[in-house]
Amino acid sequence: MADGKVVTGYSYPFVALYSATQGVVTYTNGMPLARGVSVQDGVESGDSQDFYANNVLSESAAGKFRGGEITLTIDGLKKAARQMIMGLPETTPVVVGEQTYQVTEYDNRMNVPYVGVGMVIRYMEDGVTSYDAVVFNKGIFNIDPLNAATETEDIEFQTTDLTLKLLRDDTTNHGWRRLVEDIADENEAYTVVKALLGVEDEGA
């Protein structure tokens, strides 16, 4: 094999509600978030701690995870996923003429939950393609932004950036990211992501 693998793709962002009781983490209501465009990891760690003796650096302890955030660029939130990750209240009907529409209210009733987020990263090494299943154990999304631009002579495909604030989970070891490497097939990697987020049915 080559000396290292290079990223060639990103797909299947997935989300599930997070809960924890007495150190046991549970994920529920898992579902696709949207179609994935890109992901940017903004993990923060503390400074390394160095010890000097005999006028040289003798020991060094690496900085530990302090939090941070990831930015998920997607095509557009699926309606059910938006309702869940934003903690939105039930829609209310409004009648316009003879047509009834459902209104989503962003208001004081919102209860933004903790979630787990997973995804598939594709790599190539020495001409061989493989996939990693990646799950961020616990986080909370910022309010989904609305960004749009008018149509010009050429169609401009417009995406949405979601920001997930990262936290340690409530297990004994206070984990924050899980990784399964070198999976041969993308669909298999997607299945692994679902398993890590406790999703069993294909209807999610």
Side-chain angles (χ1 to χ4, degrees), residues 7-30:
V7 175
T8 62
Y10 155 70
S11 58
Y12 296 126
F14 209 88
V15 65
L17 289 174
Y18 170 99
S19 63
T21 303
Q22 296 182 343
V24 177
V25 169
T26 303
Y27 296 101
T28 56
N29 202 30

Side-chain angles (χ1 to χ4, degrees), residues 14 17 37 70 72 100 115-116 128 134 141 144 156 162 176 189 198:
F14 209 88
L17 289 174
V37 177
I70 61 172
L72 296 160
T100 299
V115 295
V128 177
V134 181
F141 278 105
D144 58 312
E156 179 184 352
L162 295 176
W176 57 277

Side-chain angles (χ1 to χ4, degrees), residues 1 4-14 39 117-125 128-136 177-194 196:
M1 298 293 284
K5 56 186 182 180
V6 61
V7 175
T8 62
Y10 155 70
S11 58
Y12 296 126
F14 209 88
V39 61
V117 172
M119 63 204 67
V120 174
I121 309 295
R122 187 182 68 199
Y123 293 90
M124 180 174 287
E125 181 180 6
V128 177
T129 297
S130 65
Y131 302 85
D132 287 2
V134 181
V135 167
F136 291 91
R177 183 168 63 187
R178 288 175 289 164
L179 173 66
V180 179
E181 296 185 277
D182 300 328
I183 302 170
D185 178 77
E186 186 177 37
N187 287 332
E188 182 183 351
Y190 177 57
T191 300
V192 172
V193 169
K194 292 177 67 176
L196 291 175

Side-chain angles (χ1 to χ4, degrees), residues 163-179:
T163 301
L164 179 74
K165 180 178 177 61
L166 298 176
L167 301 159
R168 288 186 179 273
D169 67 23
D170 296 280
T171 60
T172 301
N173 293 323
H174 302 296
W176 57 277
R177 183 168 63 187
R178 288 175 289 164
L179 173 66

Side-chain angles (χ1 to χ4, degrees), residues 27-49:
Y27 296 101
T28 56
N29 202 30
M31 64 181 69
L33 185 67
R35 293 187 299 180
V37 177
S38 67
V39 61
Q40 184 175 356
D41 190 335
V43 171
E44 297 176 0
S45 61
D47 295 333
S48 61
Q49 301 297 311

Side-chain angles (χ1 to χ4, degrees), residues 2-170:
D3 291 334
K5 56 186 182 180
V6 61
V7 175
T8 62
Y10 155 70
S11 58
Y12 296 126
F14 209 88
V15 65
L17 289 174
Y18 170 99
S19 63
T21 303
Q22 296 182 343
V24 177
V25 169
T26 303
Y27 296 101
T28 56
N29 202 30
M31 64 181 69
L33 185 67
R35 293 187 299 180
V37 177
S38 67
V39 61
Q40 184 175 356
D41 190 335
V43 171
E44 297 176 0
S45 61
D47 295 333
S48 61
Q49 301 297 311
D50 298 332
F51 171 73
Y52 290 82
N54 288 341
N55 298 322
V56 297
L57 177 63
S58 300
E59 302 287 347
S60 183
K64 294 185 177 181
F65 171 79
R66 291 195 312 191
E69 60 188 31
I70 61 172
T71 301
L72 296 160
T73 301
I74 58 174
D75 59 347
L77 271 172
K78 293 181 180 291
K79 183 166 63 175
R82 176 188 289 110
Q83 202 81 14
M84 183 178 79
I85 70 172
M86 292 294 105
L88 294 166
E90 294 295 322
T91 59
T92 55
V94 61
V95 178
V96 180
E98 297 181 356
Q99 182 68 43
T100 299
Y101 300 91
Q102 296 299 319
V103 179
T104 299
E105 304 276 2
Y106 284 68
D107 57 26
N108 288 339
R109 293 171 294 171
M110 293 173 63
N111 185 18
V112 182
Y114 291 121
V115 295
V117 172
M119 63 204 67
V120 174
I121 309 295
R122 187 182 68 199
Y123 293 90
M124 180 174 287
E125 181 180 6
D126 201 20
V128 177
T129 297
S130 65
Y131 302 85
D132 287 2
V134 181
V135 167
F136 291 91
N137 298 0
K138 182 181 181 181
I140 190 167
F141 278 105
N142 289 346
I143 302 299
D144 58 312
L146 176 61
N147 298 311
T150 193
E151 181 181 353
T152 59
E153 292 182 1
D154 298 318
I155 294 176
E156 179 184 352
F157 293 102
Q158 298 166 48
T159 57
T160 298
D161 288 340
L162 295 176
T163 301
L164 179 74
K165 180 178 177 61
L166 298 176
L167 301 159
R168 288 186 179 273
D169 67 23
D170 296 280

